[in-house]
Amino acid sequence: MKLLNRRHAVVLATALATLAPALALAQAKLKVAAIYTVPFEQQWVSRLHKALKAAEARGEIEYKASENVSNADYERVMREYATGGNALIVGEAFAVEAAARKVAKDFPKVSFLLGSSGKPQAPNLSVFDNYIQEPAFLSGMVAGGVTKSNKIGMVGGFPIPEVNRLMNAFMAGAKEVNPKVEFSVSFINSWFDPPKAKEAAFAMIDKGADVMYAERFGVSDAAKEKNKLAIGNVINTQAQYPDTVVASALWHMEPSIDRAIKLVKESKFSAEDYGPYSMMKHKGSELAPLGTFEKKVPTEVVAKVRAKEKAILDGSFSVKVDDNQPKSTAK
């Protein structure tokens, strides 16, 4: 019996020795870092943070992130994460393009997935963008259908392609159902300044706007205070503004983040444009449920929105990508 036990022990030890590397690899978590120039709760960044936190919760990654990193400090933080054993670094490079691309060149074995208006940079820098112009168009249709004054106010952060394309798509959607609608457009030149956005919204409401496009935080607060309506962007804030926010164009970063993690794990990550993974066909974006406004939006408008949504998904309708700065049309 003792001889048999010894044999079993030897067999078991051999099996464990064979499996150990595979088990260690399976249990090893990919180290991922993110660098954000604004707070975690800011609309755009919150979508990246949410997707990465979900991967962390699933046990796929070990995740660290820095928020409110100044442009001047961005390169230093990138280098610290790159030398700290992180296999994937996520962030937004819009205001620090040159520095971010230099860091990526200096660390060719680290994978970078950065929000950028530029092109991918071989071999290891992929770019992404919030290509959510499709639900932005649909939310514009809703806005055009609920305005009474035919005046819509729009407050954006900066007039860069990432903002412009959503505003232009929204305006096109509104005109689709209401050719009479006019727009007031303003940019606050900040990614996170709710008081400034609120003041800009107040000015438009005072001039007759009864629906506000809330590209930035602060706009929905102004609409709520003035008993006007708002259309959300990137995230759904209807729970906070149940009588104000009619609809929202939602961005889901999970398809992009999950793809990047998978490719890094498989050693297949390369320089590519992740923009298309933010589109509706990849479940990277959608029009939020109308929720509290389900029975308040005219049924004929809802029908038109649903028909257009179907056409987008089946490929029979394509929302034009217009990155030009939108202009006010209100007289």
Side-chain angles (χ1 to χ4, degrees):
M1 181 65 78
K2 288 182 179 178
L3 180 61
L4 188 61
N5 285 342
R6 281 200 297 273
R7 284 178 178 171
H8 281 164
V10 171
V11 171
L12 181 61
T14 304
L16 287 174
T18 304
L19 288 171
L23 288 170
L25 187 63
Q27 291 172 354
K29 292 181 181 179
L30 192 74
K31 289 185 69 174
V32 179
I35 313 164
Y36 308 125
T37 59
V38 289
F40 291 139
E41 67 267 23
Q42 190 258 9
Q43 295 122 296
W44 201 89
V45 154
S46 72
R47 310 315 284 172
L48 280 67
H49 191 54
K50 175 177 176 286
L52 286 162
K53 291 294 285 184
E56 179 186 45
R58 293 194 301 268
E60 287 189 40
I61 64 172
E62 181 184 318
Y63 174 50
K64 292 182 179 179
S66 298
E67 60 181 332
N68 293 315
V69 176
S70 69
N71 292 341
D73 211 25
Y74 205 91
E75 181 178 351
R76 179 190 65 79
V77 178
M78 279 187 79
R79 291 185 181 278
E80 283 187 4
Y81 278 137
T83 55
N86 292 284
L88 174 63
I89 296 176
V90 179
E92 79 272 30
F94 300 108
V96 289
E97 285 281 353
R101 290 174 182 273
K102 184 175 184 297
V103 173
K105 280 184 179 179
D106 291 344
F107 295 90
K109 293 185 179 179
V110 177
S111 299
F112 294 85
L113 178 62
L114 302 177
S116 170
S117 300
K119 302 294 184 183
Q121 176 180 290
N124 61 329
L125 192 156
S126 286
V127 297
F128 68 89
D129 221 333
N130 57 326
Y131 276 90
I132 63 170
Q133 62 276 357
E134 295 163 332
F137 183 96
L138 298 175
S139 70
M141 292 179 71
V142 174
V146 297
T147 179
K148 306 294 186 197
S149 67
N150 290 331
K151 293 183 183 295
I152 295 177
M154 306 179 69
V155 179
F158 290 91
I160 65 170
E162 290 70 25
V163 175
N164 296 345
R165 75 173 64 106
L166 304 188
M167 284 189 159
N168 284 321
F170 173 89
M171 295 165 81
K175 297 284 280 186
E176 174 101 351
V177 298
N178 186 352
K180 296 179 180 179
V181 73
E182 296 178 347
F183 305 94
S184 295
V185 181
S186 177
F187 295 93
I188 61 171
N189 295 316
S190 170
W191 291 131
F192 194 75
D193 192 342
K196 192 172 182 180
K198 188 176 181 181
E199 287 303 314
F202 276 147
M204 294 177 181
I205 291 169
D206 288 344
K207 292 182 179 179
D210 63 349
V211 177
M212 294 299 306
Y213 176 69
E215 200 272 327
R216 294 289 108 192
F217 278 153
V219 177
S220 294
D221 292 300
K224 180 181 177 181
E225 286 186 28
K226 294 288 188 177
N227 273 328
K228 304 302 179 184
L229 300 177
I231 302 293
N233 181 56
V234 175
I235 62 174
N236 189 357
T237 56
Q238 194 181 74
Q240 292 78 31
Y241 306 93
D243 300 315
T244 305
V245 175
V246 186
S248 298
L250 304 186
W251 185 27
H252 302 303
M253 192 60 184
E254 285 80 359
S256 295
I257 292 294
D258 294 349
R259 174 181 171 79
I261 290 171
K262 180 177 182 291
L263 292 176
V264 172
K265 284 186 173 182
E266 295 174 351
S267 299
K268 294 179 180 177
F269 188 92
S270 62
E272 63 176 305
D273 183 357
Y274 277 62
Y277 295 99
S278 288
M279 296 175 72
M280 285 171 58
K281 67 178 180 181
H282 291 290
K283 298 185 178 179
S285 59
E286 67 174 324
L287 179 69
L290 295 177
T292 53
F293 280 85
E294 190 71 51
K295 299 190 188 311
K296 297 179 184 178
V297 178
T299 55
E300 64 273 16
V301 174
V302 174
K304 288 179 181 178
V305 170
R306 296 306 173 211
K308 193 65 71 175
E309 185 176 49
K310 181 177 180 297
I312 290 171
L313 289 170
D314 69 23
S316 60
F317 177 76
S318 179
V319 176
K320 180 184 177 183
V321 175
D322 182 356
D323 289 344
N324 294 308
Q325 182 173 338
K327 305 294 183 184
S328 295
T329 61
K331 298 178 178 65

